[in-house]
Amino acid sequence: MSLNVVGQQRPPKQGEAPPSAVWMSEPMLRYRCNQKGCCCSGWEIPFTLDDLLKLNAMLPEDERAAMGKGIQLVIDAEKKGEKGEAILHSVKLDGVGDDKACRFLEGGGGCGIHRKHGIAALPDLCVDFPGFPFKRTDGAVELWFDPVCPSVIDQFAESDAPWALHRQEGAFGDPGLDVRVSHAADPIAGRVGKFRLEFDALDQLRAVCVAELGKPQPIFQSLANLLEAFKRLDPLQKNGGVFDPYPVEPTDFVRFLFEATGAHGPDLLAASFVRYKRFIHSIDPMPIVNAQETLQDHLKDWQPAFAQWLAPHDDLLRPLQARWLAHRFGAPMTKGRAELRRAADEIVHCFATSLRFAAAMGATLQRPVDRDLYKAAIGAAEYVYRSLHLPRQALPWFAAFGMPVELNDPPGSDDPTKEDWTAKPTPAPASAE
Ligand code: SF4
């Protein structure tokens, strides 16, 4: 049998030309990988065809032969090439051992390709993770750091100061950041319903979110004010109308937070924690992993665990929670397929799951939830929402409550710059005087 396969058509990369600006979380200017190899095992890393050819060309003759073994081609099931060819989605190299470690991972957690052949030989995904670059149509680049990585979470914990957005003009002079920016190709934008926001309005909205989370008030009050403001966004008004998180009575929001906290089965959460263990370095995860049934029991009856091990330590955890959430709300278009009301709800889903993990972890270890334990809970919650694609009906909704399905997933919603997202909103009917 023969297979006629073509590579994926990718948008052009940013390349060496500097973007007009780069937007990113300010604490990520100091981000450094811990070099422990946590993201280099447990899954088959998907390489693009270009990555594989680049890597192959860099390898000496004797290593190339081994490269060709244990390769899986992943074909895109939904698309075909111009002549009906199958489209290659990615190439996966079989992992090594029980935990499917990357075949190039060295004993100490470093990368053998990087050490022997330099950063230029690495697949883009290995260079970029956890900092993914996206292109904006205004010429800027968005550099998004994924909080599933423990070193990103370490940056949330680096200080108690209010978190900030950073706008960079010109090169960083830091190869880790400049190379990531040069890889930017995939588009990014934010929308309300199917209408894309102008970038000035989007940047203003995210600045307002960050300011709200910097206020000295309980986290649930900031989130209630924000989610009510997202709920008031109107697809029929330009840029969704005014975004103003004025103080609200939080009862409805607290009910939503409670439902979101209890939304998942304890078995699914406990199994996800075990899978995430290789990313956890702020505590030793093994006493919890080895007590998986106990963890699952506390995830099931999470309310007593919450009251005993988590709630009394709110004040201690608040700066870390506020900085994580500001990172998330500072780039809301990276969630919810870029629909901002849905994104706001999804950020709260993740926050709620972190609370449940933290409470159950504290109860399992019989110790109060401190920052190190909460860092692991943040990562585990991010991992749940990164690795599972849950049906919408399985979750409660607040800002996006009642939103029609076609506004959640309009045609082409994998690409937020698609034309059908930029059509002018229908003007609202004039109100009768
Ligand atoms: S998960 Fe983050 S800290 Fe761990 S190896 Fe990967 S990039 Fe480095």
Side-chain angles (χ1 to χ4, degrees):
M1 188 182 103
S2 73
L3 187 61
N4 194 9
V5 180
V6 293
Q8 258 187 335
Q9 283 221 318
R10 306 269 307 138
K13 288 186 196 172
Q14 180 68 31
E16 296 298 312
S20 60
V22 180
W23 287 94
M24 62 183 286
S25 288
E26 192 279 338
M28 300 307 149
L29 288 168
R30 295 171 294 286
Y31 168 86
R32 292 290 175 269
C33 165
N34 64 20
Q35 299 289 325
K36 292 184 178 163
C38 18
C39 58
C40 308
S41 61
W43 63 314
E44 285 147 339
I45 299 163
F47 293 79
T48 65
L49 188 58
D50 286 351
D51 283 338
L52 208 69
L53 295 175
K54 178 175 74 172
L55 180 57
N56 200 50
M58 294 264 188
L59 290 180
E61 199 64 41
D62 54 326
E63 290 180 35
R64 276 189 210 163
M67 263 289 290
K69 294 188 183 136
I71 286 185
Q72 304 165 43
L73 303 184
V74 181
I75 304 296
D76 193 319
E78 290 173 8
K79 296 181 192 151
K80 287 268 181 248
E82 282 177 5
K83 296 176 188 157
E85 311 95 327
I87 304 236
L88 185 65
H89 177 270
S90 56
V91 181
K92 291 185 173 179
L93 305 188
D94 286 352
V96 179
D98 289 344
D99 61 353
K100 293 190 176 155
C102 172
R103 59 178 72 177
F104 303 112
L105 185 63
E106 296 185 323
C111 169
I113 296 284
H114 192 180
R115 184 179 59 75
K116 285 196 261 178
H117 308 291
I119 198 168
L122 291 174
D124 283 2
L125 179 62
C126 300
V127 175
D128 294 348
F129 186 87
F132 297 107
F134 296 93
K135 265 186 181 171
R136 301 175 19 154
T137 52
D138 63 353
V141 162
E142 198 78 38
L143 194 50
W144 160 249
F145 280 78
D146 189 332
V148 83
C149 162
S151 294
V152 170
I153 300 170
D154 285 344
Q155 289 310 114
F156 303 149
E158 106 184 312
S159 120
D160 284 359
W163 180 97
L165 265 170
H166 175 75
R167 181 185 148 95
Q168 176 80 18
E169 290 182 17
F172 289 92
D174 174 341
L177 297 172
D178 288 324
V179 175
R180 284 184 173 103
V181 169
S182 75
H183 290 167
D186 290 332
I188 195 165
R191 64 189 170 92
V192 178
K194 60 182 181 175
F195 302 115
R196 203 180 71 199
L197 266 69
E198 291 161 340
F199 280 105
D200 282 354
L202 181 62
D203 292 339
Q204 176 63 23
L205 178 146
R206 65 209 287 195
V208 169
C209 290
V210 169
E212 182 65 28
L213 285 157
K215 289 181 183 169
Q217 60 190 2
I219 289 288
F220 73 84
Q221 185 65 59
S222 294
L223 289 175
N225 299 346
L226 283 173
L227 260 69
E228 291 280 7
F230 275 100
K231 193 179 204 164
R232 290 191 294 269
L233 288 176
D234 179 356
L236 297 183
Q237 291 190 50
K238 190 170 184 215
N239 293 319
V242 178
F243 182 76
D244 178 11
Y246 54 73
V248 294
E249 205 288 311
T251 307
D252 288 348
F253 170 77
V254 170
R255 191 175 302 121
F256 165 63
L257 182 63
F258 181 86
E259 286 173 19
T261 307
H264 302 299
D267 47 346
L268 177 142
L269 293 179
S272 293
F273 182 86
V274 171
R275 278 201 294 278
Y276 184 67
K277 69 177 187 294
R278 67 185 188 278
F279 290 88
I280 298 176
H281 304 287
S282 61
I283 57 166
D284 176 3
M286 292 318 290
I288 302 178
V289 170
N290 293 333
Q292 190 176 342
E293 281 186 20
T294 308
L295 175 69
Q296 195 167 314
D297 288 345
H298 290 302
L299 284 164
K300 182 162 176 268
D301 297 319
W302 57 272
Q303 292 176 56
F306 194 98
Q308 183 173 1
W309 302 106
L310 179 63
H313 311 290
D314 258 5
D315 287 351
L316 183 73
L317 302 176
R318 196 200 168 282
L320 176 58
Q321 292 173 324
R323 284 168 63 87
W324 167 40
L325 290 167
H327 176 80
R328 273 283 177 203
F329 278 99
M333 58 284 201
T334 56
K335 274 282 202 188
R337 303 192 90 170
E339 210 292 339
L340 298 175
R341 295 167 295 175
R342 177 173 162 180
D345 284 354
E346 290 191 2
I347 295 169
V348 173
H349 292 158
C350 197
F351 173 64
T353 301
S354 80
L355 299 179
R356 185 153 162 214
F357 269 127
M361 290 159 68
T364 304
L365 297 174
Q366 295 285 293
R367 84 177 221 202
V369 177
D370 59 12
R371 289 183 186 221
D372 286 341
L373 205 145
Y374 192 67
K375 281 160 75 175
I378 292 175
E382 290 278 1
Y383 183 75
V384 166
Y385 283 96
R386 195 179 200 285
S387 42
L388 300 176
H389 296 286
L390 301 157
R392 271 184 56 75
Q393 318 79 271
L395 291 160
W397 298 93
F398 186 87
F401 181 77
M403 197 159 71
V405 172
E406 65 271 19
L407 290 188
N408 277 286
D409 300 303
S413 59
D414 286 338
D415 177 354
T417 62
K418 278 266 189 315
E419 279 306 303
D420 54 319
W421 290 28
T422 58
K424 289 276 175 289
T426 315
S431 58
E433 293 289 325

